Amino acid sequence: MFTSQLEHIFTIEAFQNAFGEISSNSFGLDEISYSEFKSEFAKNIKELTESLLTGTYAPEPLKKIEIDKPNSDEKRPIALSAIKDKLVQRVLYKALNPYFDPLFSDKSYAYRPNKSTLKAINRITQFLNEKYRYIVKTDIDNFFESIDHDILLEILSYHISDKRIIRLISLFVQTGGFKDMSYDEHDLGVHQGDILSPLLSNIYLDAMDRYLEKHSVAFVRYADDFVMLFKKEEDAKERLKKLKKYLSSLKLTLEEQKTYIVHISEGFSFLGVRFEGKNRHVENERLQKSISKIHQLAKNRSGFAKYTKELNAYLYALKNYYLKIIPKNSTQHQLLQNALIESLSHKIYLAKKSKSITTKKEFRNFLMQINFEILFDDEVIKDKIELIIAKGYEKYLANKSYKAEKTKVAKKRDKYAKKFATISTLHLNKPGLMLGISKNKFVIKEYGRVKKSYPFDKVSRIIFEGKGFSISSDVLKKCADGGITVDFINKDAMPYASLVTYKASTVQNIHKQAMILNTPKQLEIAKGFIKGKAKNQLNYLKYLNKYHKLLNKQIDAMERNFAKIKTATSNEELMGVEGSISASYWSGLKLVLEVPFERRITQGAKDIVNSSLNYGYAILYGKVQHSLVHAGLSLSVSFLHALDEHKPTLTFDMIEEFRTFIVDRTIVSMLNKDEPIKLDNKGLLTKSSRKLIAKNIYEKLGSYTMWKKESHKIENIIQAQCFHLSRVIEGKDAKYKPFIGKF
């Protein structure tokens, strides 16, 4: 039992130690700030102690506000206490927590010293390794606001001998607050935001923990969010039923919409981590938030020094949680690496643009302060710093040289806006807006306040233009169920994403793709792919011929055959023309390559040129395939290559127009510069060679080029072309126009 008396808890020394631990950023209704309280600390503590010991102390009413819940249109109530009340709670917490914490279950992980989200995740992994295969995932409905005061105080009475302490806690939980000048009583729950509330919540739910342990249930709880694990499905169902009954004795209920039983093979999520089979990874939504945070840090107007400090702090946060879960060199790990590179290069671009930093030496000095070792191996950090500086300067030069006039951007934006306005469209184009759902309506909020609302049946399309928006998962679900299209376009009016569901866009696109087969439109699209490939090959040889003066014969032959694309009457004839053009192209490259090269070999290559090309194409292939899926297209319905149910033949189609511009010119440049690309004794690329090629291809994908009279990142062009193909298939764009690069 906790036997300390009130006068032994609230001492001058205890108040002094606790004062530095309370928040100084907010104050309560008495409007006494942290600094004001501190200026008369001795006097205030004397009065506070006297009121506590004589029983005259009463907390000030709370200042009640609401903040947005993440990924929801709901609000989370927050209660702001006066400085003096925070101080009393902090002293009381420091006295009570060392007594209660050792009593809590070791399966409870929230608000406790030496516990963490990572340890909770690892405990679940341990249970799964012990062959627990059926999981009950649930949380308690409106937990903090549902705690019964009488039950809480009764639990406390079993543990605390000095009833004055219990009466003091009773004052805190029963004190109401003012919201918009109106006083709200507080007969139920504990205040979210109060210092004591996390401890009181664990004390209250410890009874449930003990109940589960009494029945030998494997579980992990983090506040009101928890999972139970079982080896048999019938055990899971039975215990869930009994738990609901038990919780009624605590006057609590489970949130039905978040309660389900699942086999591990189907997977479940907990604390931002997805468990599925033997695998676990960070949920994509959580990962995207982290990536967005890294990008957002670079966009703040803070100087490079402050940015460096903030970025390092966030990298340490990732290191202590997500990077303990994300495997090194996995896709998620690479996404974080790319986000860091993009963030830093953007900050360099902004600093260069504002002239706050002007030399590469200064940038290197700042970059050396970044904790790259959290995401990168030591041996590549120096190269990454040079890459970041190069990308930042490249973006600066591209925008400096080719920045479109605002009138042109506005004209293009207006073109899309008029097109989208032909249907009932909800168009969001201001950063900071949040789209959610409330009372059967879409609601647009800005800084937590509802700006506009729209009935569901009046909206058939939603467009997000620019950056800096938030959207709730409820909106996505409603749009998916209701067939409402969601499109995302950037500030230059380039579409870059759409919500695609199997019930709507994807199924319709598959059907529309299939309907094009064996029609004139199939041949027209196929010609587009071949024109793109051939034109890029031709332009690249012309570019090389400026320096080598050896390629006139090949260029002439390619131009003659290029004219035959227009008159081709079948895919077979078209592929024959493509073969002739490619033969001339590879014959030309043979003349300019400074390493041995006889002919193009697509499979089983043992020479350095073909091996390097094939490896580069494989990297590009993945990027193209992802972009096609992102555009809602079926990979198995192609227009140029023959259909094969076992192969994503549409990827073979789309990759054609990008091969030369992204891979061929990169590999030729590397080989002619004598970069260390080598084969092993089996005729295969060495590990270091593959790594070097991958590095160069990724850099190419992330670089900028002129396209449609504007500067665009190459990987964004790939995505744009896939959306363009989708619009052609849907009949929204008249004709497929391939990407033609500038050499």
Side-chain angles (χ1 to χ4, degrees):
M1 178 168 273
F2 183 79
T3 57
S4 295
Q5 300 296 295
L6 195 68
E7 52 267 24
H8 298 144
I9 295 174
F10 292 102
T11 64
I12 293 176
E13 184 181 4
F15 278 123
Q16 289 173 336
N17 291 335
F19 189 69
E21 298 173 357
I22 64 173
S23 171
S24 60
N25 297 326
S26 61
F27 48 82
L29 288 176
D30 62 1
E31 297 187 345
I32 297 175
S33 69
Y34 185 88
S35 58
E36 288 172 331
F37 190 96
K38 185 178 181 180
S39 66
E40 295 186 325
F41 187 79
K43 175 176 174 289
N44 289 330
I45 294 305
K46 182 179 179 180
E47 293 176 355
L48 198 53
T49 303
E50 184 178 341
S51 66
L52 286 164
L53 297 181
T54 59
T56 59
Y57 170 82
E60 302 296 325
L62 293 104
K63 181 165 63 175
K64 303 182 77 172
I65 63 172
E66 291 183 336
I67 61 174
D68 289 329
K69 283 187 177 182
N71 306 314
S72 173
D73 60 350
E74 298 178 3
K75 297 285 189 177
R76 173 178 288 124
I78 294 294
L80 301 179
S81 299
I83 296 295
K84 71 178 183 67
D85 299 327
K86 288 183 186 179
L87 184 55
V88 172
Q89 287 197 42
R90 184 62 186 170
V91 171
L92 191 54
Y93 170 83
K94 286 169 70 72
L96 293 174
N97 196 59
Y99 166 79
F100 278 103
D101 191 77
L103 302 178
F104 294 150
S105 168
D106 68 341
K107 302 177 187 69
S108 169
Y109 286 86
Y111 319 128
R112 300 182 61 190
N114 301 316
K115 294 281 189 177
S116 66
T117 50
L118 178 61
K119 288 185 177 180
I121 293 302
N122 288 339
R123 189 64 177 276
I124 290 177
T125 303
Q126 176 190 331
F127 284 133
L128 293 173
N129 289 338
E130 293 171 2
K131 308 300 181 184
Y132 289 89
R133 290 293 178 259
Y134 291 93
I135 294 90
V136 177
K137 174 67 179 70
T138 186
D139 68 16
I140 295 171
D141 189 23
N142 198 27
F143 170 58
F144 281 89
E145 293 301 319
S146 300
I147 292 175
D148 184 271
H149 292 172
D150 292 335
I151 296 175
L152 174 63
L153 297 174
E154 184 179 355
I155 294 172
L156 292 173
S157 70
Y158 289 127
H159 293 277
I160 301 174
S161 62
D162 189 342
K163 304 310 175 189
R164 292 176 297 172
I165 298 174
I166 298 175
R167 284 194 290 271
L168 180 58
I169 294 173
S170 176
L171 284 174
F172 284 122
V173 299
Q174 292 183 58
T175 296
F178 280 90
K179 181 182 177 184
D180 299 329
M181 307 298 289
S182 178
Y183 184 77
D184 293 333
E185 299 285 349
H186 198 252
D187 300 323
L188 192 65
V190 296
H191 298 291
Q192 294 194 60
D194 263 4
I195 292 172
L196 277 176
S197 292
L199 174 60
L200 296 177
S201 71
N202 270 338
I203 291 171
Y204 199 83
L205 272 188
D206 188 59
M208 182 191 78
D209 296 343
R210 296 304 172 191
Y211 164 81
L212 293 174
E213 289 181 336
K214 178 182 176 181
H215 294 282
S216 302
V217 176
F219 72 96
V220 174
R221 180 174 69 82
Y222 196 91
D224 57 338
D225 192 6
F226 64 101
V227 294
M228 299 183 293
L229 301 95
F230 301 88
K231 295 184 177 180
K232 296 180 180 179
E233 185 175 14
E234 55 267 29
D235 292 344
K237 292 178 179 178
E238 182 66 21
R239 183 52 55 194
L240 178 58
K241 181 179 178 181
K242 291 181 178 179
L243 177 62
K244 291 179 180 179
K245 184 177 180 180
Y246 172 78
L247 285 175
S248 65
S249 68
L250 295 175
K251 297 186 179 179
L252 299 174
T253 59
L254 298 178
E255 188 168 350
E256 291 297 333
Q257 291 185 339
K258 295 182 179 180
T259 300
Y260 56 88
I261 299 174
V262 67
H263 189 273
I264 187 57
S265 61
E266 300 174 67
F268 69 98
S269 298
F270 185 64
L271 300 180
V273 176
R274 180 74 181 171
F275 295 86
E276 196 164 342
K278 295 181 179 179
N279 302 316
R280 69 179 192 179
H281 62 268
V282 175
E283 284 185 294
N284 287 332
E285 185 177 349
R286 297 290 187 100
L287 185 72
Q288 287 303 317
K289 284 185 180 180
S290 294
I291 290 171
S292 297
K293 175 68 174 179
I294 292 172
H295 285 305
Q296 192 59 44
L297 286 173
K299 296 172 185 175
N300 295 338
R301 295 184 178 181
S302 58
F304 225 105
K306 184 178 179 182
Y307 163 72
T308 299
K309 183 178 179 180
E310 292 174 343
L311 181 60
N312 278 338
Y314 193 70
L315 289 174
Y316 271 119
L318 289 174
K319 177 183 178 182
N320 291 330
Y321 188 26
Y322 286 166
L323 289 175
K324 302 282 189 182
I325 296 165
I326 296 173
K328 194 174 182 180
N329 298 324
S330 66
T331 299
Q332 290 192 331
H333 192 264
Q334 291 170 3
L335 287 171
L336 289 172
Q337 289 179 325
N338 293 339
L340 179 59
I341 291 172
E342 288 296 324
S343 177
L344 287 164
S345 62
H346 185 71
K347 195 67 178 180
I348 287 175
Y349 156 70
L350 293 177
K352 182 74 176 172
K353 181 180 178 183
S354 66
K355 299 182 180 180
S356 59
I357 301 177
T358 57
T359 68
K360 291 184 178 181
K361 182 177 180 181
E362 290 179 281
F363 284 125
R364 287 190 188 97
N365 290 337
F366 274 113
L367 291 176
M368 289 299 291
Q369 300 173 36
I370 301 295
N371 295 315
F372 283 102
E373 69 278 3
I374 291 176
L375 282 171
F376 293 98
D377 293 331
D378 290 343
E379 59 266 24
V380 303
I381 291 176
K382 187 176 180 180
D383 289 341
K384 295 303 177 185
I385 289 175
E386 295 305 314
L387 169 63
I388 289 163
I389 294 173
K391 288 171 75 71
Y393 270 66
E394 185 178 13
K395 187 173 184 180
Y396 168 74
L397 293 172
N399 280 272
K400 180 180 178 181
S401 302
Y402 306 117
K403 183 68 176 176
E405 297 174 7
K406 288 187 177 181
T407 53
K408 292 181 179 179
V409 174
K411 184 177 180 180
K412 192 170 185 181
R413 179 197 62 210
D414 292 341
K415 174 185 175 182
Y416 273 91
K418 290 177 182 178
K419 180 179 180 180
F420 292 136
T422 58
I423 57 177
S424 183
T425 302
L426 185 56
H427 193 139
L428 289 80
N429 57 8
K430 183 179 178 182
L433 296 181
M434 188 273 182
L435 183 63
I437 287 178
S438 180
K439 298 179 181 178
N440 296 320
K441 292 182 179 180
F442 291 112
V443 292
I444 297 176
K445 297 179 181 179
E446 186 176 18
Y447 305 115
R449 295 182 178 273
V450 176
K451 304 295 289 185
K452 291 183 180 180
S453 61
Y454 301 84
F456 292 150
D457 59 356
K458 300 296 183 182
V459 177
S460 58
R461 182 180 292 268
I462 301 173
I463 302 169
F464 290 88
E465 179 182 354
K467 300 179 179 179
F469 301 101
S470 298
I471 182 171
S472 77
S473 58
D474 290 340
V475 170
L476 297 177
K477 180 68 164 57
K478 180 63 183 176
C479 292
D481 290 343
I484 299 172
T485 301
V486 182
D487 291 314
F488 300 82
I489 60 176
N490 65 18
K491 62 181 179 61
D492 297 323
M494 290 293 297
Y496 65 90
S498 292
L499 171 65
V500 181
T501 72
Y502 73 93
K503 293 188 291 186
S505 304
T506 301
V507 172
Q508 292 172 5
N509 276 350
I510 293 172
H511 177 69
K512 289 179 179 178
Q513 280 177 255
M515 292 297 291
I516 290 172
L517 299 179
N518 301 315
T519 69
K521 193 168 186 177
Q522 177 186 356
L523 183 60
E524 179 185 291
I525 294 173
K527 286 182 178 180
F529 292 134
I530 294 302
K531 284 181 180 178
K533 179 179 183 178
K535 193 67 175 177
N536 283 316
Q537 289 177 330
L538 182 57
N539 287 348
Y540 184 40
L541 284 199
K542 287 181 178 179
Y543 168 78
L544 293 171
N545 201 41
K546 291 179 182 179
Y547 306 98
H548 296 278
K549 309 297 183 183
L550 298 169
L551 308 176
N552 289 332
K553 178 181 177 182
Q554 286 79 12
I555 291 172
D556 290 343
M558 291 176 72
E559 287 180 332
R560 287 194 301 272
N561 283 309
F562 187 85
K564 298 178 182 179
I565 295 174
K566 185 176 181 179
T567 58
T569 58
S570 67
N571 272 24
E572 290 73 16
E573 184 180 349
L574 189 61
M575 292 296 276
V577 173
E578 185 274 333
S580 298
I581 294 173
S582 288
S584 298
Y585 171 71
W586 293 114
S587 173
L589 285 188
K590 179 180 179 180
L591 296 175
V592 300
L593 277 166
E594 297 177 11
V595 294
F597 174 64
E598 293 300 322
R599 60 186 178 87
R600 178 75 185 105
I601 301 172
T602 58
Q603 293 181 354
K606 298 294 183 179
D607 65 289
I608 198 165
V609 176
N610 281 301
S611 296
S612 299
L613 288 168
N614 292 344
Y615 190 71
Y617 293 148
I619 296 171
L620 176 61
Y621 175 95
K623 182 65 182 176
V624 170
Q625 180 162 296
H626 171 79
S627 299
L628 287 167
V629 172
H630 205 52
L633 293 168
S634 169
L635 302 176
S636 60
V637 182
S638 53
F639 307 104
L640 173 62
H641 292 84
L643 301 182
D644 186 332
E645 61 179 308
H646 302 295
K647 296 180 180 180
T649 50
L650 186 62
T651 307
F652 304 160
D653 287 1
M654 179 58 72
I655 199 174
E656 297 291 7
E657 62 196 72
F658 295 104
R659 288 180 187 272
T660 300
F661 189 77
I662 296 172
V663 178
D664 296 1
R665 67 186 301 197
T666 299
I667 298 301
V668 170
S669 177
M670 291 177 71
L671 292 172
N672 282 354
K673 288 180 180 178
D674 199 26
E675 293 200 28
I677 301 177
K678 298 179 180 179
L679 300 178
D680 60 21
N681 54 14
K682 295 181 180 179
L684 303 176
L685 289 169
T686 63
K687 183 178 179 180
S688 60
S689 298
R690 295 198 302 271
K691 189 174 181 179
L692 182 62
I693 292 171
K695 172 179 174 290
N696 279 269
I697 298 297
Y698 288 139
E699 288 174 4
K700 187 65 180 177
L701 286 167
S703 65
Y704 289 78
T705 189
M706 290 299 297
W707 183 53
K708 298 184 177 181
K709 299 181 180 180
E710 296 178 15
S711 178
H712 292 277
K713 187 180 287 189
I714 293 173
E715 62 184 0
N716 292 345
I717 295 174
I718 295 175
Q719 186 65 76
Q721 283 298 96
C722 292
F723 276 107
H724 171 44
L725 176 61
S726 178
R727 292 193 300 273
V728 170
I729 291 167
E730 293 176 5
K732 294 178 180 178
D733 286 356
K735 186 177 181 180
Y736 183 74
K737 298 179 181 179
F739 163 73
I740 308 296
K742 298 288 184 182
F743 291 87

